[in-house]
Amino acid sequence: MGIPVTPFETYDHALACIERAVASKRKSFCVAINPIKVYNALHEPQLKQLLGQAEINICDGVGVSIASRILHGRGIHRITGCDLFFRLLSLASERQWGVFLLGASPQSNADARAQLLQRYPHLKIVGWQDGYFEDSRSVVEHINASKADLVFVAMGSPKQEYWIWQHRSQIEASFCMGVGGSFDVASGNIKRAPKLFRMTGTEFLFRFALEPRKRLSHQKILLYFLLRTIRMKLFGARESVGWA
Ligand code: UDP
């Protein structure tokens, strides 16, 4: 479908790759790819361009892995944005990398910091900012003054990805990643789906059961995504330009 996805074998594989980039001060931008983002990218050329330019695109949604299996005969191991976020924080704490937390409400951001410091007592949170600001330039200055190595942006998709993309060249930190609602999860304000749903890649069903109205449009997109994948498999890419 024209959206690149990095085929990491395991979380350790992804962490090793990111660690090398951070150690060599190479800049990278990591995006979590799920069917909603692929669908949006097929309608928004700018988003498609952004996804094409990100250095790391993890396979966040099970739909992406299934589509890869159907289209290319090879599923891609899932690396969810939320799990990678927590594993990176653990690694950052070991390596003493500076972490900047940008996004969520002021309360959720503060609660997330408190909870994370309990979970990783040696974590170096060098700066933070809630996600409801006006002046992006001063936020970028704040990030650079903090000397952060990792910047996590939790402002929802695709807002967070556009924000990172627009400011990536000015942000000196080695690694930037959009993490959606992960600060709300870290703060305890939002519960993650139970393990069974996470293990089977069906978190979307759990979220749908909790918030059916809000999530209905997402479920429709998942269905379109599956239909498009099957159509591409049967008729090839050229026959499948429009969405069902
Ligand atoms: N958010 C923000 N600034 C905004 C809009 C949203 O910081 O202008 C935060 C919001 O408070 C919440 C997160 O972004 O913490 C959005 O989480 P959601 O689960 O909706 O993101 P998704 O992963 O679904 O994109």
Side-chain angles (χ1 to χ4, degrees), residues 135-205:
D135 183 5
S136 289
R137 219 173 58 176
S138 72
V139 172
V140 171
E141 281 169 10
H142 185 182
I143 292 172
N144 289 342
S146 77
K147 302 267 178 237
D149 299 291
L150 312 183
V151 179
F152 294 104
V153 183
M155 301 199 301
S157 278
K159 184 175 183 178
Q160 60 198 16
E161 281 81 20
Y162 278 124
W163 192 88
I164 296 173
W165 196 42
Q166 276 160 12
H167 301 95
R168 189 66 190 100
S169 62
Q170 298 125 55
I171 297 173
E172 289 162 9
S174 176
F175 179 84
C176 290
M177 176 181 176
V179 291
S182 298
F183 294 2
D184 297 330
V185 172
S187 66
N189 293 335
I190 285 189
K191 289 260 167 297
R192 283 198 80 182
K195 206 167 178 182
L196 179 68
F197 289 91
R198 283 188 268 145
M199 280 170 60
T200 52
T202 52
E203 297 98 318
F204 63 93
L205 290 178

Coordinates of all heavy atoms in Angstrom, one line a residue, residues 135-205:
D135 N 2.7 28.0 21.7 CA 3.9 28.4 21.0 C 4.9 27.3 20.9 O 5.6 26.9 21.8 CB 4.5 29.5 21.9 CG 5.8 30.1 21.3 OD1 6.1 29.7 20.2 OD2 6.4 30.9 22.0
S136 N 4.9 26.7 19.7 CA 5.7 25.5 19.5 C 7.2 25.9 19.5 O 8.0 25.0 19.9 CB 5.4 24.9 18.1 OG 4.2 24.3 18.1
R137 N 7.5 27.1 19.1 CA 8.9 27.5 19.1 C 9.5 27.4 20.5 O 10.6 26.9 20.7 CB 9.1 28.9 18.5 CG 10.3 29.0 17.6 CD 10.5 30.2 16.9 NE 10.5 31.3 17.9 CZ 10.7 32.6 17.6 NH1 10.8 32.9 16.3 NH2 10.7 33.6 18.5
S138 N 8.8 27.9 21.5 CA 9.3 27.9 22.9 C 9.4 26.4 23.4 O 10.2 26.1 24.2 CB 8.6 28.8 23.8 OG 7.3 28.3 24.1
V139 N 8.5 25.6 22.9 CA 8.5 24.2 23.3 C 9.8 23.5 22.8 O 10.5 22.8 23.5 CB 7.2 23.4 22.9 CG1 7.4 21.9 23.2 CG2 6.0 23.9 23.6
V140 N 10.1 23.8 21.5 CA 11.3 23.2 20.9 C 12.6 23.8 21.7 O 13.5 23.0 22.0 CB 11.4 23.6 19.4 CG1 12.8 23.2 18.9 CG2 10.3 22.9 18.6
E141 N 12.5 25.1 22.0 CA 13.7 25.6 22.8 C 13.8 24.9 24.2 O 14.9 24.6 24.6 CB 13.5 27.1 23.0 CG 13.8 27.9 21.8 CD 13.4 29.4 21.9 OE1 13.0 29.8 23.0 OE2 13.5 30.1 20.9
H142 N 12.7 24.7 24.8 CA 12.6 24.0 26.1 C 13.2 22.5 25.9 O 14.0 22.1 26.8 CB 11.2 23.9 26.5 CG 10.9 23.4 27.9 ND1 9.7 23.2 28.4 CD2 11.8 22.9 28.8 CE1 9.8 22.7 29.6 NE2 11.0 22.5 29.9
I143 N 12.8 21.8 24.9 CA 13.3 20.5 24.6 C 14.9 20.5 24.4 O 15.6 19.8 25.1 CB 12.7 19.8 23.4 CG1 11.2 19.6 23.6 CG2 13.4 18.6 23.0 CD1 10.4 19.1 22.4
N144 N 15.3 21.5 23.6 CA 16.8 21.5 23.4 C 17.6 21.9 24.6 O 18.6 21.4 24.9 CB 17.0 22.5 22.2 CG 16.6 21.9 20.9 OD1 16.4 20.7 20.8 ND2 16.4 22.7 19.9
A145 N 17.0 22.8 25.4 CA 17.7 23.3 26.6 C 17.8 22.1 27.6 O 18.7 22.0 28.4 CB 16.9 24.4 27.3
S146 N 16.8 21.2 27.6 CA 16.8 20.0 28.5 C 17.9 19.0 28.2 O 18.2 18.1 28.9 CB 15.4 19.3 28.5 OG 15.3 18.5 27.3
K147 N 18.4 19.1 26.9 CA 19.4 18.1 26.4 C 18.9 16.7 26.4 O 19.6 15.7 26.6 CB 20.7 18.2 27.2 CG 21.4 19.5 27.3 CD 22.4 19.6 26.2 CE 23.1 21.0 26.2 NZ 23.0 21.7 25.0
A148 N 17.6 16.6 26.2 CA 17.0 15.2 26.1 C 17.5 14.4 25.0 O 17.9 14.9 23.9 CB 15.5 15.4 25.9
D149 N 17.6 13.1 25.2 CA 18.0 12.2 24.1 C 16.8 11.6 23.5 O 16.8 11.3 22.3 CB 18.8 11.0 24.7 CG 20.1 11.5 25.4 OD1 21.0 11.9 24.7 OD2 20.2 11.4 26.6
L150 N 15.7 11.4 24.3 CA 14.5 10.8 23.8 C 13.4 11.8 24.0 O 13.2 12.3 25.1 CB 14.2 9.5 24.5 CG 15.2 8.4 24.6 CD1 14.6 7.2 25.3 CD2 15.8 8.0 23.3
V151 N 12.5 12.0 23.0 CA 11.4 12.9 23.2 C 10.1 12.1 22.8 O 10.0 11.6 21.7 CB 11.4 14.1 22.2 CG1 10.2 15.0 22.4 CG2 12.7 14.9 22.5
F152 N 9.2 11.9 23.8 CA 8.0 11.2 23.5 C 6.9 12.2 23.5 O 6.7 13.1 24.4 CB 7.7 10.2 24.7 CG 8.7 9.1 24.7 CD1 9.7 9.1 25.7 CD2 8.7 8.1 23.8 CE1 10.6 8.1 25.7 CE2 9.6 7.0 23.8 CZ 10.6 7.0 24.7
V153 N 6.1 12.1 22.4 CA 5.0 13.1 22.2 C 3.6 12.4 22.2 O 3.4 11.6 21.3 CB 5.2 13.9 20.8 CG1 4.2 14.9 20.6 CG2 6.6 14.5 20.7
A154 N 2.8 12.8 23.2 CA 1.5 12.1 23.4 C 0.4 13.1 23.1 O -0.2 13.7 24.1 CB 1.5 11.6 24.8
M155 N 0.1 13.4 21.9 CA -0.9 14.4 21.5 C -2.0 13.8 20.6 O -2.7 14.6 19.9 CB -0.3 15.7 20.9 CG 0.7 16.3 21.8 SD 1.1 18.0 21.5 CE 1.8 17.9 19.8
G156 N -2.0 12.5 20.5 CA -3.0 11.9 19.6 C -2.5 11.9 18.1 O -1.6 12.7 17.8
S157 N -3.0 11.0 17.4 CA -2.6 10.9 16.0 C -3.6 11.5 15.0 O -4.8 11.4 15.3 CB -2.5 9.4 15.6 OG -1.2 8.9 16.0
P158 N -3.2 12.1 14.0 CA -1.8 12.3 13.5 C -1.2 13.6 14.0 O -0.1 13.9 13.5 CB -2.0 12.3 12.0 CG -3.3 12.9 11.7 CD -4.2 12.5 12.9
K159 N -1.9 14.3 14.9 CA -1.4 15.6 15.4 C 0.1 15.5 15.8 O 0.9 16.3 15.5 CB -2.3 16.1 16.5 CG -1.9 17.5 16.9 CD -2.9 18.0 18.0 CE -2.5 19.5 18.3 NZ -3.3 20.1 19.3
Q160 N 0.3 14.5 16.7 CA 1.7 14.3 17.2 C 2.7 14.1 16.1 O 3.8 14.6 16.2 CB 1.7 13.2 18.3 CG 1.3 11.9 17.7 CD 0.9 10.8 18.7 OE1 0.6 11.2 19.9 NE2 0.9 9.6 18.3
E161 N 2.3 13.2 15.2 CA 3.3 12.9 14.1 C 3.6 14.2 13.2 O 4.7 14.5 12.9 CB 2.8 11.8 13.2 CG 3.0 10.4 13.7 CD 1.9 10.0 14.7 OE1 0.8 10.7 14.7 OE2 2.1 9.1 15.5
Y162 N 2.5 15.0 12.9 CA 2.8 16.2 12.2 C 3.6 17.2 13.0 O 4.5 17.8 12.4 CB 1.4 16.9 11.8 CG 0.8 16.3 10.6 CD1 -0.5 15.8 10.6 CD2 1.4 16.2 9.4 CE1 -1.2 15.3 9.5 CE2 0.8 15.7 8.2 CZ -0.5 15.2 8.3 OH -1.1 14.7 7.2
W163 N 3.4 17.2 14.3 CA 4.2 18.2 15.1 C 5.6 17.8 15.1 O 6.5 18.6 14.9 CB 3.6 18.2 16.5 CG 4.2 19.4 17.3 CD1 3.7 20.7 17.3 CD2 5.4 19.4 18.1 NE1 4.6 21.5 18.1 CE2 5.6 20.7 18.5 CE3 6.4 18.4 18.4 CZ2 6.7 21.1 19.3 CZ3 7.5 18.8 19.1 CH2 7.6 20.1 19.6
I164 N 5.9 16.5 15.3 CA 7.3 16.1 15.3 C 7.9 16.3 13.9 O 9.0 16.9 13.8 CB 7.4 14.6 15.6 CG1 6.9 14.3 17.0 CG2 8.9 14.1 15.5 CD1 6.9 12.8 17.4
W165 N 7.2 16.0 12.9 CA 7.7 16.1 11.5 C 8.1 17.6 11.2 O 9.1 17.9 10.6 CB 6.7 15.6 10.5 CG 7.1 15.4 9.1 CD1 8.3 14.8 8.7 CD2 6.4 15.7 7.9 NE1 8.3 14.7 7.4 CE2 7.2 15.2 6.8 CE3 5.2 16.3 7.7 CZ2 6.8 15.4 5.5 CZ3 4.8 16.4 6.3 CH2 5.6 16.0 5.3
Q166 N 7.2 18.5 11.6 CA 7.4 19.9 11.3 C 8.6 20.5 12.1 O 9.2 21.4 11.6 CB 6.2 20.8 11.7 CG 5.1 20.8 10.6 CD 3.7 21.1 11.1 OE1 3.6 21.6 12.3 NE2 2.7 20.9 10.3
H167 N 8.9 19.9 13.3 CA 10.0 20.5 14.1 C 11.2 19.6 14.2 O 12.1 19.9 14.9 CB 9.4 20.8 15.5 CG 8.2 21.7 15.5 ND1 6.9 21.3 15.4 CD2 8.2 23.1 15.3 CE1 6.2 22.4 15.3 NE2 6.9 23.5 15.3
R168 N 11.2 18.4 13.5 CA 12.3 17.5 13.7 C 13.6 18.1 13.4 O 14.6 17.8 14.1 CB 12.0 16.2 12.8 CG 13.0 15.1 13.0 CD 12.7 14.5 14.4 NE 13.7 13.6 14.9 CZ 14.7 13.9 15.7 NH1 14.9 15.1 16.2 NH2 15.5 12.9 16.2
S169 N 13.7 18.9 12.4 CA 15.1 19.4 12.0 C 15.6 20.4 13.1 O 16.8 20.5 13.3 CB 15.0 20.2 10.7 OG 14.2 21.3 10.8
Q170 N 14.7 21.0 13.9 CA 15.2 21.9 15.0 C 15.4 21.2 16.3 O 16.1 21.7 17.2 CB 14.2 23.0 15.2 CG 13.9 24.0 14.1 CD 12.4 24.0 13.7 OE1 11.6 24.3 14.6 NE2 12.1 23.7 12.5
I171 N 14.7 20.0 16.5 CA 14.8 19.3 17.7 C 16.2 18.5 17.7 O 16.4 17.7 16.8 CB 13.7 18.3 18.0 CG1 12.3 19.1 18.0 CG2 13.9 17.5 19.2 CD1 11.1 18.2 18.1
E172 N 17.0 18.8 18.7 CA 18.3 18.2 18.7 C 18.4 16.8 19.3 O 19.3 16.0 19.0 CB 19.3 19.1 19.6 CG 19.6 20.4 18.9 CD 20.1 21.5 19.9 OE1 20.4 21.1 21.0 OE2 20.2 22.6 19.4
A173 N 17.3 16.4 20.0 CA 17.3 15.0 20.6 C 17.5 14.0 19.5 O 17.0 14.2 18.3 CB 16.0 14.8 21.3
S174 N 18.1 12.8 19.8 CA 18.3 11.8 18.9 C 17.0 11.1 18.4 O 16.8 10.8 17.2 CB 19.3 10.8 19.5 OG 19.5 9.7 18.6
F175 N 16.1 10.9 19.4 CA 15.0 10.0 19.1 C 13.7 10.7 19.4 O 13.5 11.2 20.5 CB 15.1 8.7 19.9 CG 14.0 7.7 19.7 CD1 14.0 6.8 18.6 CD2 12.9 7.7 20.6 CE1 13.0 5.9 18.5 CE2 11.9 6.8 20.4 CZ 11.9 5.9 19.4
C176 N 12.7 10.7 18.5 CA 11.4 11.3 18.7 C 10.4 10.2 18.3 O 10.5 9.6 17.3 CB 11.1 12.5 17.9 SG 12.1 14.0 18.3
M177 N 9.3 10.2 19.1 CA 8.3 9.2 18.8 C 6.9 9.7 19.3 O 6.8 10.2 20.5 CB 8.6 7.9 19.5 CG 7.6 6.8 19.4 SD 8.1 5.3 20.2 CE 6.6 4.3 20.0
G178 N 5.9 9.5 18.5 CA 4.5 9.8 19.0 C 4.0 8.6 19.7 O 4.1 7.5 19.2
V179 N 3.4 8.8 20.9 CA 2.9 7.7 21.7 C 1.5 7.8 22.1 O 1.0 7.0 23.0 CB 3.8 7.5 23.0 CG1 5.2 7.0 22.6 CG2 3.9 8.8 23.8
G180 N 0.7 8.6 21.4 CA -0.8 8.6 21.6 C -1.2 8.7 23.0 O -0.8 9.7 23.7
G181 N -2.0 7.8 23.5 CA -2.5 7.9 24.9 C -1.6 7.2 25.9 O -2.1 7.0 27.0
S182 N -0.3 7.0 25.6 CA 0.5 6.3 26.5 C 0.8 7.0 27.9 O 1.0 6.3 28.9 CB 1.9 5.9 25.9 OG 1.6 5.1 24.8
F183 N 0.7 8.3 27.9 CA 0.9 9.0 29.2 C -0.3 8.8 30.0 O -0.2 8.7 31.3 CB 1.1 10.5 29.0 CG 2.4 11.0 28.3 CD1 3.3 10.0 27.8 CD2 2.7 12.3 28.1 CE1 4.5 10.4 27.1 CE2 3.9 12.7 27.4 CZ 4.7 11.8 26.9
D184 N -1.5 8.7 29.4 CA -2.7 8.5 30.2 C -2.6 7.1 30.8 O -3.1 6.8 31.9 CB -3.9 8.6 29.3 CG -4.1 10.0 28.8 OD1 -3.7 11.0 29.5 OD2 -4.6 10.2 27.7
V185 N -2.0 6.1 30.0 CA -1.9 4.8 30.5 C -0.8 4.8 31.7 O -1.0 4.2 32.8 CB -1.4 3.8 29.4 CG1 -1.0 2.4 30.0 CG2 -2.5 3.6 28.4
A186 N 0.3 5.5 31.4 CA 1.4 5.5 32.5 C 0.8 6.2 33.8 O 1.2 5.8 34.9 CB 2.6 6.3 31.9
S187 N 0.0 7.2 33.6 CA -0.5 7.9 34.8 C -1.6 7.1 35.5 O -2.0 7.4 36.7 CB -1.2 9.2 34.4 OG -2.3 9.0 33.6
G188 N -2.1 6.0 34.9 CA -3.2 5.2 35.5 C -4.5 5.8 35.2 O -5.6 5.2 35.6
N189 N -4.6 6.9 34.4 CA -5.9 7.4 34.1 C -6.7 6.6 33.1 O -7.9 6.7 33.0 CB -5.8 8.9 33.6 CG -5.3 9.8 34.7 OD1 -5.5 9.5 35.8 ND2 -4.6 10.9 34.3
I190 N -6.0 5.8 32.3 CA -6.6 4.9 31.3 C -6.1 3.5 31.5 O -4.9 3.4 31.7 CB -6.3 5.4 29.8 CG1 -7.2 6.6 29.5 CG2 -6.6 4.3 28.8 CD1 -7.2 7.0 28.1
K191 N -7.0 2.6 31.5 CA -6.5 1.2 31.7 C -6.2 0.6 30.4 O -6.9 0.8 29.4 CB -7.7 0.4 32.3 CG -8.0 0.7 33.7 CD -7.4 -0.4 34.7 CE -7.4 0.1 36.1 NZ -6.7 1.3 36.4
R192 N -5.1 -0.2 30.3 CA -4.8 -0.9 29.1 C -5.7 -2.1 29.0 O -6.3 -2.6 30.0 CB -3.4 -1.4 29.2 CG -2.3 -0.4 28.9 CD -1.0 -1.0 28.5 NE -1.0 -1.4 27.1 CZ 0.1 -2.0 26.6 NH1 1.1 -2.3 27.3 NH2 0.0 -2.4 25.3
A193 N -5.9 -2.6 27.8 CA -6.7 -3.8 27.6 C -6.1 -4.9 28.4 O -4.9 -5.0 28.5 CB -6.8 -4.1 26.1
P194 N -6.9 -5.9 28.9 CA -6.4 -7.0 29.6 C -5.4 -7.8 28.7 O -5.5 -7.8 27.5 CB -7.6 -7.8 30.0 CG -8.8 -6.9 30.0 CD -8.4 -5.8 28.9
K195 N -4.6 -8.6 29.4 CA -3.5 -9.3 28.7 C -4.0 -10.2 27.5 O -3.4 -10.2 26.5 CB -2.8 -10.2 29.7 CG -1.3 -10.4 29.3 CD -0.6 -11.0 30.4 CE 0.9 -11.3 29.9 NZ 1.7 -11.9 31.0
L196 N -5.1 -10.8 27.7 CA -5.7 -11.7 26.7 C -5.9 -11.0 25.4 O -5.5 -11.4 24.3 CB -7.0 -12.4 27.2 CG -7.7 -13.3 26.2 CD1 -6.8 -14.6 26.0 CD2 -9.1 -13.7 26.6
F197 N -6.5 -9.7 25.5 CA -6.7 -8.9 24.3 C -5.4 -8.5 23.7 O -5.2 -8.5 22.5 CB -7.5 -7.7 24.7 CG -8.9 -8.0 25.0 CD1 -9.3 -8.2 26.3 CD2 -9.9 -8.0 24.0 CE1 -10.7 -8.5 26.6 CE2 -11.2 -8.2 24.3 CZ -11.6 -8.5 25.6
R198 N -4.4 -8.2 24.6 CA -3.1 -7.7 24.0 C -2.4 -8.8 23.3 O -1.8 -8.6 22.3 CB -2.2 -7.2 25.2 CG -2.7 -5.8 25.6 CD -1.7 -5.2 26.6 NE -2.1 -5.4 27.9 CZ -1.3 -5.6 28.9 NH1 0.0 -5.6 28.7 NH2 -1.7 -5.9 30.1
M199 N -2.5 -10.0 23.9 CA -1.7 -11.2 23.4 C -2.3 -11.6 22.0 O -1.6 -12.1 21.1 CB -1.7 -12.4 24.3 CG -0.7 -12.2 25.4 SD -0.9 -13.4 26.7 CE -0.7 -14.9 25.8
T200 N -3.6 -11.4 21.9 CA -4.3 -11.8 20.6 C -4.4 -10.7 19.6 O -4.9 -10.9 18.5 CB -5.7 -12.4 20.9 OG1 -6.4 -11.4 21.7 CG2 -5.6 -13.7 21.7
G201 N -3.9 -9.5 20.0 CA -4.0 -8.4 19.1 C -5.4 -7.8 18.9 O -5.7 -7.2 17.9
T202 N -6.2 -8.0 19.9 CA -7.6 -7.6 19.7 C -8.0 -6.5 20.7 O -9.2 -6.4 21.1 CB -8.6 -8.8 19.9 OG1 -8.2 -9.4 21.2 CG2 -8.5 -9.8 18.8
E203 N -7.0 -5.6 21.0 CA -7.3 -4.5 21.9 C -8.4 -3.6 21.3 O -9.2 -3.0 22.1 CB -6.1 -3.6 22.1 CG -4.9 -4.3 22.7 CD -3.9 -4.7 21.7 OE1 -4.3 -5.3 20.7 OE2 -2.7 -4.6 22.0
F204 N -8.5 -3.6 20.0 CA -9.5 -2.7 19.4 C -10.9 -3.1 19.8 O -11.8 -2.3 19.9 CB -9.3 -2.7 17.8 CG -9.5 -4.0 17.1 CD1 -10.7 -4.3 16.6 CD2 -8.4 -4.9 17.0 CE1 -10.9 -5.5 16.0 CE2 -8.6 -6.1 16.4 CZ -9.8 -6.4 15.8
L205 N -11.1 -4.5 20.0 CA -12.4 -5.0 20.4 C -12.7 -4.5 21.8 O -13.8 -4.1 22.1 CB -12.5 -6.5 20.3 CG -12.5 -7.1 19.0 CD1 -12.5 -8.6 19.1 CD2 -13.7 -6.6 18.2

